[in-house]
Amino acid sequence: MAKVPVQFTLNGSEKAEFIESGTTLLHALRDKIGDTSPKGGCHQGTCGACSVIIDGELRLSCLTLAETCSGADIKTTAGLAEGGVLHPLQRAFLDAFATQCGFCTPGMIMAAKVLLDRTPNPSREDVVEALSGNICRCTGYEPIVQAVLTAARANSQNAA
Amino acid sequence: MELRRDYFADVRKDGLHEIGQPRPRLDSPGHVTGKTAYFADRNFPGMLHLKMVRSPHHHARIRSIDTSEAEKHPGVVRVLTAKDVPHNVYTILILIQIGPEDETVLADGKVRWKGEAVVAVLAETERAAQEAAAKVKVDYEVLPAVFDMEEALKPGAPLVNEYHGQNYYLYDSGECRKVRFGDVEAGFAKADHILEQSYQSSPIEHAPTETTGCVVAPEGNDRFTCYTNTQAMFFTLDNTSIILQMPGNKLHFVGGTVGGGFGGKVDVIVEPIAILGAKLTGRPVSFIYSREEEMQISSPRAAEKVVIKDGVMKDGRIVARKVTGYTDAGAYSRHSPYGAQKGAGHYPGPYTVPNVWIDTYCVYTNRTPSSAMRGFGVTIGDFALEVQMDKLARLIGMDPLEFRFINAYRDGDMKAHRQPTEGAALIECMQEASRAANWPVAEKYMAMSSYRKGA
Amino acid sequence: MTLALQTFSSVKDANAALLAAGARYIGGGTLVVRAANEGDISVSSLVRVTDPGLSRIAVSGGKVRLGASVTMAAIARQPELATLAPAARAVGGPAIRNMATVGGNLFAPAPYGDFAVALLALDATVVTGDSEMPIETFLAGRDTSRAVVTAVGFSLPRAESFRFLKVSRVKPKGVSVLSIAALLQRAADGTVTAARIALGCMADRPIRARSAEKALLGCKLTPQEIAPALAAASQGIAPITDPIASAWYRAEVLPVHLGRLLSN
Ligand SMILES: Cc1cc2nc3c(=O)[nH]c(=O)nc-3n(C[C@H](O)[C@H](O)[C@H](O)COP(=O)(O)OP(=O)(O)OC[C@H]3O[C@@H](n4cnc5c(N)ncnc54)[C@H](O)[C@@H]3O)c2cc1C
């Protein structure tokens, strides 16, 4: 089996691995690099639990081949807290009871992060749209939508 | 959230500290940082991947199985068939003496539902396992199948499961679970109206975001650590011990973190075969359902049929209720004999009815085996009961909520199962619902209490 | 065999590689990688092209050229393509749109292919290495087409002449019950002088509603006048049945939604 090199930045640190050609980014992150925060819920692109941010864009790591990410800047939920301080989205998810089983949470937070990075003051519709590729089977979504809106407010208050 | 302290004020101690207060969930910090460890987050060097060859038929005899090509496929380490499983025929409720053993870990001579596990392939990569699985040759003789419970109960229907000998579960009470209270026929005879209706449901899949699976690591001393998302940890451990004929102290189960269960993930399906694979290869093994397997293979909530016949008086009292419930177990028992029994325990619902007759059947068909899901045996019954209640109220021209007040059980009432009612709160729930939904009922109902008899 | 990725900088080299058994082109990968994940072992190598020209959007003189690797997200955020944004935004959720390409959408079997429905209504031209063909011809022969699609070209419709509707059960993101795109030219008094209507999910790939197109000519877009076109819309359709909807349901609701799209 031919191994190929991949090299990218993951949450700010350089990673280099030899992987089997055709390996998905999800497998490379979880099984090779050991970042298990992206989850494999369907491997079909439907559940969004594997969502990561690649060069500032939300992507499904289960449908992305790792080799196509060489040189990319990849962010996952595992790298969001800085110096042990939770990101406002993480804080808001905690406070709003936006997690139950937790399996969708890392993907939800990634989807919410790209939204807030581009749209700091989103409407409720913006939030619903931004999360529309992520499935949660526990919460009924409302606490998650509220958490994202709360995080946006916290952000804009900090900025002001 | 508002805590209404006026209900049961005289029987409740008021030193509540936690109730009504938001408290952080213990597991949330792990969830929001991605640190919570689910079973599939364990990865071991040299781990093998297990893929299952499944029956494409609903009911068939297996003439032969040829695994030779699959075994030669590059990357394949081991191929398992029925003969590799020490105690291949099992049933999970045997732990509480509910037999007979009626299901095979890997099919032996026969398949009874489309999707049944026949051959397990263990390979270095998922892809190699998939490719090898495609090379397993199984020669089937297709048999007539039955998918409908009423058809299955007719004489001459194809026999689904030889371990039962008939297409229903034989309880110690006979062909069904039975409840007899008062004289239901006498009740019907004196009723002003009779209403008989039947209600049906389809199987329901839990669809958790995390699919069913486990990761097994062989330790020293013939011991195996199994990381699993089962919601029935000790149940699974004990059944695995029986299936693998291995003392329980050789098995170390690690779990409790489940990516969505909804009352499922309680069938002992992935763990025994994965541990067997780890034992026979000496390698760690991962067996994780694909999304398609989660939808098609994991047990759903059973399809049910509920027939309710009620006798009701013009003044709103239900004087007789007869319920016949059918639970579609699919091809194997799993938790369904218990589910059907729960139905018998649940009817006639939270109402006081003087004459009750209940029969609940657990029926075998060639459908995907059903099993537990939140409130199984009860939820569909409640749907049927409450729709029936609305229909009865309409029949006698009464407000549906007032109709329920009249029949609601209250402390001290004798239930059909000959247990006096204790701790009822239906009246109070309905009073609060009436306020919250702005659905007024007559003052006499608002003055009722579950605790003190009389309006 | 494993799944291997082959990367080429030129379309020509990729076309040569695609002649090998088990080779398949990968655009955004939302369908091919998904199939591999689900156990489709018929594909053993994926071929990709890194030529940046495939990701280019060119708009000039009313003509549009979309490279085959242009994503739905790129179309949706291009101000000059605002007319087409609803069709691009109809595809999947945000992450899918960041990956799903125009080229892949041309091959996507129903219930997918929402953007291809729009392209069919626009009478787009599909460009492969050395040839160009009308999208209708391309769609009819796509099952046996092996060459890399490099681009699609079409005339940019005026906003008021182009309409698009996707119907799904889950909102805002959901798989199509059906999708409809219509390109209508109208005289000053509002009568339709030319119509091109494309339907998704009414066959295994996007198709035109020719009878409805014909029936619309000379009509004003009033409920009375479009009624014959709505009745004609179901002619020649064989909708798909899938977990989202049955063929029967799709056929039943098509006239309803077409009516809404036309009379809005
Ligand atoms: C969760 C989910 C939701 C989706 N929702 C929608 C939806 O709402 N609407 C919709 O239309 N689609 C939807 N899709 C399907 C799919 O994402 C889109 O159709 C997308 O446009 C396909 O493009 P791709 O680049 O990802 O295709 P790929 O997976 O890369 O390729 C698909 C097929 O097209 C061929 N192909 C791709 N590009 C070329 C080319 N340039 N030349 C030759 N052959 C090529 C490939 O060989 C392959 O056979 C969804 C998919 C998923 C996973």
Side-chain angles (χ1 to χ4, degrees):
Chain A
M1 276 175 278
K3 300 251 186 190
V4 291
V6 286
Q7 194 171 1
F8 47 71
T9 308
L10 176 65
N11 298 323
S13 69
E14 285 291 322
K15 301 286 171 191
E17 283 288 340
F18 283 96
I19 57 162
E20 267 132 41
S21 181
T23 302
T24 62
L25 178 63
L26 178 65
H27 278 305
L29 288 176
R30 290 174 54 84
D31 304 341
K32 289 282 176 183
I33 292 166
D35 180 351
T36 57
S37 65
K39 305 293 175 198
C42 71
H43 302 276
Q44 297 185 350
T46 306
C47 77
C50 69
S51 300
V52 299
I53 301 173
I54 303 179
D55 295 332
E57 286 198 338
L58 189 70
R59 296 276 289 270
L60 297 160
S61 63
C62 78
L63 298 182
T64 302
L65 298 184
E67 290 144 283
T68 64
C69 299
S70 267
D73 177 35
I74 302 177
K75 290 196 163 62
T76 67
T77 292
L80 211 50
E82 274 176 38
V85 180
L86 294 183
H87 184 275
L89 272 167
Q90 294 173 309
R91 186 79 254 160
F93 268 62
L94 271 185
D95 293 343
F97 291 87
T99 76
Q100 277 183 39
C101 84
F103 203 76
C104 73
T105 308
M108 285 284 180
I109 289 180
M110 287 291 97
K113 180 163 190 308
V114 279
L115 170 73
L116 297 193
D117 287 350
R118 288 191 190 162
T119 314
N121 292 304
S123 65
R124 192 192 148 80
E125 288 66 40
D126 292 337
V127 175
V128 170
E129 168 68 38
L131 301 179
S132 63
N134 295 66
I135 289 176
C136 171
R137 291 281 295 142
C138 304
T139 63
Y141 299 100
E142 193 53 34
I144 300 177
V145 172
Q146 290 308 326
V148 178
L149 289 170
T150 306
R153 276 196 297 273
N155 268 346
S156 57
Q157 272 159 17
N158 285 351
Chain B
M1 191 170 55
E2 182 200 5
L3 186 62
R4 292 292 299 266
R5 294 176 184 275
D6 40 338
Y7 293 105
F8 303 110
D10 48 344
V11 290
R12 194 192 57 234
K13 293 198 183 70
D14 239 342
L16 301 178
H17 299 298
E18 305 298 323
I19 292 177
Q21 304 298 323
R23 290 277 181 256
R25 292 176 56 109
L26 280 179
D27 52 4
S28 289
H31 295 345
V32 300
T33 52
K35 288 201 173 83
T36 302
Y38 299 84
F39 82 91
D41 296 339
R42 323 292 166 129
N43 186 26
F44 297 94
M47 188 156 79
L48 301 176
H49 299 266
L50 190 155
K51 292 280 171 200
M52 205 52 94
V53 177
R54 299 186 176 280
S55 165
H57 304 295
H58 299 287
H59 197 192
R61 211 179 311 286
I62 297 175
R63 290 203 198 95
S64 64
I65 298 177
D66 178 3
T67 61
S68 55
E69 289 300 311
E71 277 161 46
K72 277 183 245 154
H73 190 81
V76 170
V77 174
R78 179 93 194 212
V79 177
L80 304 174
T81 59
K83 64 180 188 323
D84 295 304
V85 185
H87 186 81
N88 193 38
V89 184
Y90 75 107
T91 193
I92 39 190
L93 290 179
I94 202 77
L95 300 179
I96 51 170
Q97 284 78 48
I98 297 181
E101 293 179 313
D102 71 343
E103 179 163 6
T104 48
V105 176
L106 293 176
D108 193 2
K110 211 182 152 185
V111 287
R112 299 178 180 85
W113 60 284
K114 185 176 169 179
E116 181 157 4
V118 183
V119 175
V121 178
L122 292 144
E124 304 280 355
T125 62
E126 280 186 64
R127 172 90 179 190
Q130 281 157 349
E131 287 172 345
K135 289 184 172 175
V136 171
K137 294 190 203 78
V138 185
D139 183 17
Y140 292 102
E141 175 194 340
V142 176
L143 301 171
V146 60
F147 306 111
D148 179 87
M149 289 191 279
E150 273 155 289
E151 291 300 318
L153 290 175
K154 283 185 185 156
L159 179 61
V160 174
N161 189 317
E162 294 75 5
Y163 296 102
H164 293 282
Q166 68 284 319
N167 288 339
Y168 55 83
Y169 184 79
L170 193 61
Y171 290 96
D172 50 14
S173 52
E175 72 287 2
C176 60
R177 268 286 173 239
K178 298 170 188 174
V179 177
R180 304 288 181 262
F181 184 64
D183 182 343
V184 79
E185 291 307 328
F188 289 139
K190 75 166 192 219
D192 290 329
H193 297 277
I194 304 274
L195 181 69
E196 182 171 342
Q197 299 278 294
S198 80
Y199 303 88
Q200 285 189 61
S201 68
S202 294
I204 299 172
E205 167 55 36
H206 319 64
T209 325
E210 177 206 47
T211 61
T212 301
C214 68
V215 168
V216 179
E219 313 290 352
N221 313 334
D222 273 346
R223 238 178 151 233
F224 297 86
T225 305
C226 178
Y227 301 90
T228 164
N229 60 5
T230 182
Q231 300 204 88
M233 191 69 117
F234 291 95
F235 221 75
T236 305
L237 191 152
D238 289 349
N239 270 297
T240 303
S241 168
I242 295 172
I243 290 166
L244 300 182
Q245 298 285 292
M246 198 188 264
N249 63 16
K250 299 281 183 203
L251 300 169
H252 178 199
F253 274 57
V254 180
T257 301
V258 181
F262 315 112
K265 291 182 176 165
V266 293
D267 302 314
V268 184
I269 303 292
V270 290
E271 296 87 355
I273 194 72
I275 295 172
L276 181 65
K279 183 175 181 210
L280 296 179
T281 61
R283 306 257 304 257
V285 170
S286 154
F287 181 15
I288 307 178
Y289 275 3
S290 68
R291 178 52 49 184
E292 190 177 351
E293 284 178 305
E294 190 63 34
M295 300 304 284
Q296 300 286 330
I297 303 300
S298 76
S299 322
R301 180 194 293 282
E304 284 187 47
K305 179 172 178 186
V306 184
V307 182
I308 307 177
K309 181 177 178 183
D310 284 329
V312 64
M313 306 305 288
K314 287 194 196 106
D315 65 8
R317 281 174 300 128
I318 302 170
V319 291
R321 172 162 279 179
K322 183 173 183 179
V323 184
T324 313
Y326 303 90
T327 295
D328 190 343
Y332 297 109
S333 290
R334 298 197 182 167
H335 289 86
S336 290
Y338 171 61
Q341 168 162 323
K342 272 171 81 185
H346 188 66
Y347 302 119
Y351 305 107
T352 295
V353 183
N355 302 295
V356 174
W357 175 294
I358 300 164
D359 286 340
T360 59
Y361 293 82
C362 172
V363 185
Y364 299 100
T365 64
N366 293 106
R367 299 179 78 180
T368 307
S370 60
S371 194
M373 181 174 190
R374 280 181 178 169
F376 71 123
V378 171
T379 311
I380 304 299
D382 276 335
F383 153 74
L385 284 171
E386 296 309 321
V387 175
Q388 178 84 358
M389 291 299 280
D390 284 349
K391 288 183 178 177
L392 288 169
R394 208 173 303 141
L395 183 70
I396 59 171
M398 191 172 268
D399 175 271
L401 196 52
E402 294 187 348
F403 176 63
R404 286 171 170 86
F405 274 103
I406 292 172
N407 291 287
Y409 67 172
R410 291 191 268 172
D411 279 10
D413 288 352
M414 182 54 76
K415 292 195 274 192
H417 310 83
R418 294 182 179 75
Q419 295 255 330
T421 304
E422 277 176 55
L426 179 58
I427 297 281
E428 289 70 16
C429 285
M430 292 196 295
Q431 288 166 342
E432 194 53 29
S434 147
R435 286 193 191 98
N438 203 8
W439 182 293
V441 293
E443 196 42 50
K444 64 177 172 180
Y445 301 116
M446 295 309 275
M448 280 170 81
S449 159
S450 296
Y451 179 55
R452 274 171 279 105
K453 273 257 169 182
Chain C
M1 296 284 269
T2 54
L3 184 68
L5 177 70
Q6 294 174 274
T7 302
F8 299 96
S9 51
S10 84
V11 170
K12 197 158 150 278
D13 293 345
N15 277 333
L18 282 169
L19 297 176
R24 185 83 69 83
Y25 187 78
I26 176 173
T30 57
L31 289 172
V32 279
V33 178
R34 174 194 224 187
N37 287 347
E38 272 291 300
D40 177 353
I41 51 174
S42 67
V43 178
S44 51
S45 80
L46 292 172
V47 173
R48 76 166 171 154
V49 176
T50 51
D51 178 353
L54 292 188
S55 302
R56 207 162 289 145
I57 298 178
V59 186
S60 74
K63 299 273 178 219
V64 180
R65 192 181 161 97
L66 300 176
S69 300
V70 169
T71 63
M72 296 300 134
I75 297 168
R77 65 173 168 253
Q78 181 80 23
E80 291 156 294
L81 298 179
T83 320
L84 285 182
R89 267 200 295 271
V91 174
I96 288 284
R97 288 196 287 278
N98 286 334
M99 302 170 71
T101 67
V102 171
N105 210 271
L106 288 173
F107 287 89
Y112 299 137
D114 296 316
F115 193 75
V117 170
L119 291 175
L120 178 57
L122 295 174
D123 198 10
T125 301
V126 177
V127 187
T128 55
D130 41 19
S131 71
E132 296 197 2
M133 64 180 102
I135 184 168
E136 240 176 316
T137 317
F138 169 82
L139 287 172
R142 74 178 183 186
D143 299 347
T144 51
S145 138
R146 293 202 80 112
V148 178
V149 171
T150 52
V152 294
F154 52 89
S155 303
L156 190 63
R158 280 176 305 137
E160 62 279 11
S161 62
F162 182 72
R163 301 170 182 212
F164 179 85
L165 174 71
K166 168 173 166 171
V167 179
S168 58
R169 292 178 190 265
V170 179
K171 296 186 179 62
K173 183 208 89 157
V175 174
S176 274
V177 170
L178 55 85
S179 51
I180 311 173
L183 185 66
L184 304 173
Q185 315 298 341
R186 288 198 284 164
D189 69 349
T191 40
V192 175
T193 54
R196 213 178 136 96
I197 299 173
L199 307 174
C201 298
M202 294 301 143
D204 66 347
R205 64 200 70 197
I207 56 167
R208 275 175 70 186
R210 289 177 189 278
S211 309
E213 289 172 0
K214 231 177 266 151
L216 271 185
L217 295 179
C219 295
K220 292 212 174 71
L221 297 180
T222 62
Q224 296 75 13
E225 294 199 25
I226 64 172
L230 303 190
S234 317
Q235 277 174 27
I237 59 170
I240 58 159
T241 287
D242 65 4
I244 304 294
S246 66
W248 174 86
Y249 178 79
R250 285 186 158 108
E252 284 294 306
V253 300
L254 170 64
V256 177
H257 292 295
L258 180 59
R260 285 179 193 162
L261 182 73
L262 292 177
S263 51
N264 260 339

